[in-house]
Amino acid sequence: MAKIAFIGLGNMGGPMAANLCKAQHHVTAFDLSAPAVAAAVEKGAHRAASAAEAVKDAEIVVTMLPAGKHVREVYEKDVLPNVARGALLIDCSTIDVESARHVASAAKAKGFEMIDAPVSGGVRGATAGTLTFMVGGPEAAFAKARPILDKMGKNIVHAGESGSGQAAKICNNMILGISMLGVCEGFMLGKRLGLDAQKLFNVVSTASGSCWSLVNYCPVPGPVPTSPANRDYQAGFTAAMMLKDLLLAQQASAASGAATPMGAEAAQLFSLFVNAGNAAKDFSGIIKMIDGK
Ligand code: NAD
């Protein structure tokens, strides 16, 4: 049983912390949102009044925060000045590679081991404990973190040095954004051509156009009953988060000289969708915009 501080108990962090409690770890939880902390306490976590209090006796710190600026702030102000000697630091948020490397090197300078360990698999994977973890950081820190990550995920990949987990995550989510737009366009073209959505799904899901966006997250209601399309595109994975990741991919493309024209187009389309008041909708809801609604 490890003493774990968990900071950031939102859509993803909440169920991830619950799985650590279920595995009999001693989890001390903090979030700026009181209802999020209360929900974690109900699942067996111990309440902390601040991030600084949560980390002071921790052997392991897990953070699951919205973006790079939150991660920089929480590590600089709360975690690094207060965490117990020898603690292992694990950031699971999806953030820019530069922030991940900056925070890891600040941690190293203070004598702490740190990994970036962003996830894929959504709220469903977080709840079921079946997330994919993409990990960047030293091999020894990865080995130490593995038994903890095992309680929250089932596919755990060491991608390379610090920041490599974030790099893998950004590539994955750029593919996801592009493939979701492809599926939306296919279904809207099918609609105009008079095809039944279920029949189109039956064909494409067993043909060469099949992909995760179609099979797990079909953007039209009906074929995949668990997809957000069946609950008026309630997230899930918000359009704002998808836009954030597509912009991170564009930032990384510009910095590294990679050509990602489809990624650029996807970022533009999701930007239009988010700015039309759909930030909190599931990202698959972009099908309505593709449909001209
Ligand atoms: P969320 O907005 O539901 O949760 C973030 C939580 O962080 C909130 O509860 C917020 O109150 C808390 N928070 C913000 N600043 C804080 C601070 N300074 N101290 C303590 N708590 C603070 O977001 P989420 O959907 O859980 O996503 C978290 C991260 O996981 C993001 O980086 C996202 O890109 C990534 N992600 C999300 C999904 C998904 O399907 N939702 C999938 C994979 C990865």
Side-chain angles (χ1 to χ4, degrees), residues 10-12 31-32 64-66 74 94 119 122 236-237 241 244:
N11 290 328
M12 295 294 288
D31 192 293
L32 293 177
M64 191 49 162
L65 297 162
V74 165
T94 301
V119 304
F237 183 51
M241 291 277 189
K244 179 193 83 166

Side-chain angles (χ1 to χ4, degrees), residues 65-221:
L65 297 162
K69 64 175 188 214
H70 307 97
V71 172
R72 283 181 186 246
E73 195 182 303
V74 165
Y75 276 88
E76 277 158 23
K77 287 203 188 136
D78 302 313
V79 177
L80 295 179
N82 295 294
V83 67
R85 284 258 130 247
L88 170 66
L89 313 178
I90 305 176
D91 179 40
C92 295
S93 328
T94 301
I95 65 172
D96 58 291
V97 175
E98 198 200 325
S99 291
R101 292 194 171 140
H102 173 84
V103 175
S105 87
K108 192 176 173 194
K110 291 207 155 202
F112 294 105
E113 288 182 306
M114 176 160 194
I115 57 170
D116 49 292
V119 304
S120 175
V123 174
R124 214 165 133 205
T127 306
T130 58
L131 292 168
T132 293
F133 281 90
M134 296 148 257
V135 181
E139 187 72 52
F142 173 68
K144 242 195 235 177
R146 198 166 178 136
I148 301 299
L149 303 182
D150 272 335
K151 301 296 178 207
M152 301 183 281
K154 71 166 197 271
N155 184 20
I156 296 151
V157 181
H158 187 210
E161 61 187 22
S162 282
S164 301
Q166 298 298 348
K169 172 70 185 172
I170 287 167
C171 295
N172 179 76
N173 277 25
M174 185 182 76
I175 295 170
L176 174 65
I178 294 169
S179 71
M180 178 56 81
L181 284 163
V183 172
C184 292
E185 288 189 3
F187 273 82
M188 289 305 99
L189 176 59
K191 180 177 157 185
R192 300 295 189 278
L193 296 175
L195 283 174
D196 174 71
Q198 181 66 53
K199 290 197 172 138
L200 181 59
F201 178 86
N202 293 349
V203 171
V204 180
S205 62
T206 56
S208 47
S210 187
C211 62
W212 190 95
S213 293
L214 177 77
V215 176
N216 293 291
Y217 233 75
C218 186
V220 295

